Amino acid sequence: QVQLQESGPGLVTPSQTLSLTCTVSGGSITTGGYYWTWIRQHPGKGLEWIGFIYYSGNTYLNPSLKNRGTISVDTSKNQFSLKLRSVTVADTAVYYCARDPHGYGSYFDLWGRGTLVTVSS
Amino acid sequence: EIVLTQSPGTLSLSPGERAALSCRASQSITSNYLAWYQQKPGQAPRLLIYGASSRATGIPDRFSGSGSGTDFTLTISRLEPEDFAVYYCQQYGYSPRTFGQGTKVEFK
């Protein structure tokens, strides 16, 4: 069955760039209709939708990120990635990648386990 | 952005009891594009309901969703021990997609 796995540094220095990758296994990222999403959860808090990408490269990011974010896809590696520039302590969170079966950032039927990213000097 | 307000913040119940969780939107959600998730400590959220009332694959029928417009409800007909968790609603009718702040269902 399809599984998602986040990877990347667990510690990022303030003002630097946070880079995470989600590897899709057990299925192809180019399967029609699926969109691929990043969501984060601040410690002890609720969930925040970051944005999505389609395998064609069509992407949308939450305006709350103030143009600091980029989502990209590498179909040859069956991966999609998140980059968040100029991070602050407010970006400390568990970052999840997830699958959206309905498109354009709808609901999320499959999630990775999540990876904690701490922003600290 | 659409604000989703969940109530109550915490629900204290016993196994076998019925749970009713509310999610109210700051404006009407188009096409009932509302989902519900369950999250247990240290785990990723799990999709329960989409389209306000459609159960996701593998979700027991004790979970049901209802509502339209601005008012939605997740009902757990008879609580099982594994149902004690935090529940979130999420709208996907408008961008950016937003989540409610969660309702914790705890052991009474």
Side-chain angles (χ1 to χ4, degrees):
Chain A
Q1 70 279 23
V2 179
Q3 293 184 321
L4 306 180
Q5 178 68 59
E6 305 88 351
S7 59
L11 181 64
V12 182
T13 304
S15 81
Q16 298 303 301
T17 297
L18 177 162
S19 295
L20 295 174
T21 296
C22 181
T23 300
V24 180
S25 60
S28 174
I29 202 169
T30 61
T31 298
Y34 288 127
Y35 282 57
W36 306 94
T37 299
W38 288 99
I39 294 160
R40 68 182 180 180
Q41 186 168 33
H42 296 99
K45 303 289 187 182
L47 298 153
E48 180 184 17
W49 178 71
I50 295 173
F52 68 75
I53 192 162
Y54 192 54
Y55 77 87
S56 63
N58 179 27
T59 186
Y60 181 91
L61 275 87
N62 192 328
S64 69
L65 296 179
K66 297 181 172 60
N67 297 318
R68 295 188 296 126
T70 305
I71 300 177
S72 59
V73 64
D74 186 336
T75 56
S76 67
K77 294 182 179 178
N78 229 31
Q79 295 175 334
F80 63 106
S81 299
L82 170 70
K83 289 190 188 302
L84 190 60
R85 297 174 293 277
S86 304
V87 297
T88 70
V89 294
D91 294 308
T92 293
V94 175
Y95 286 77
Y96 296 100
C97 57
R99 185 180 73 178
D100 161 14
H102 191 254
Y104 299 100
S106 63
Y107 55 90
F108 316 110
D109 69 341
L110 185 66
W111 295 62
R113 288 185 157 190
T115 187
L116 174 62
V117 178
T118 301
V119 179
S120 175
S121 54
Chain B
E1 118 178 359
I2 302 286
V3 176
L4 299 178
T5 302
Q6 293 186 240
S7 62
T10 302
L11 204 48
S12 299
L13 295 168
S14 300
E17 290 192 294
R18 178 177 175 274
L21 287 65
S22 172
C23 177
R24 178 163 291 177
S26 58
Q27 64 187 76
S28 183
I29 296 177
T30 185
S31 301
N32 290 338
Y33 281 163
L34 188 108
W36 289 93
Y37 301 85
Q38 175 194 69
Q39 187 177 34
K40 297 179 181 179
Q43 296 184 17
R46 177 174 72 142
L47 176 68
L48 300 174
I49 301 286
Y50 63 94
S53 61
S54 297
R55 263 188 306 276
T57 302
I59 301 303
D61 60 7
R62 64 180 181 272
F63 291 93
S64 63
S66 62
S68 63
T70 60
D71 290 302
F72 298 86
T73 300
L74 174 70
T75 302
I76 310 171
S77 59
R78 288 178 57 87
L79 280 165
E80 297 287 342
E82 61 268 27
D83 298 337
F84 291 88
V86 179
Y87 293 83
Y88 294 97
C89 58
Q90 177 239 330
Q91 66 81 22
Y92 51 102
Y94 299 90
S95 286
R97 312 320 190 193
T98 51
F99 292 85
Q101 82 282 14
T103 289
K104 182 179 182 179
V105 178
E106 66 174 20
F107 243 116
K108 187 174 182 180

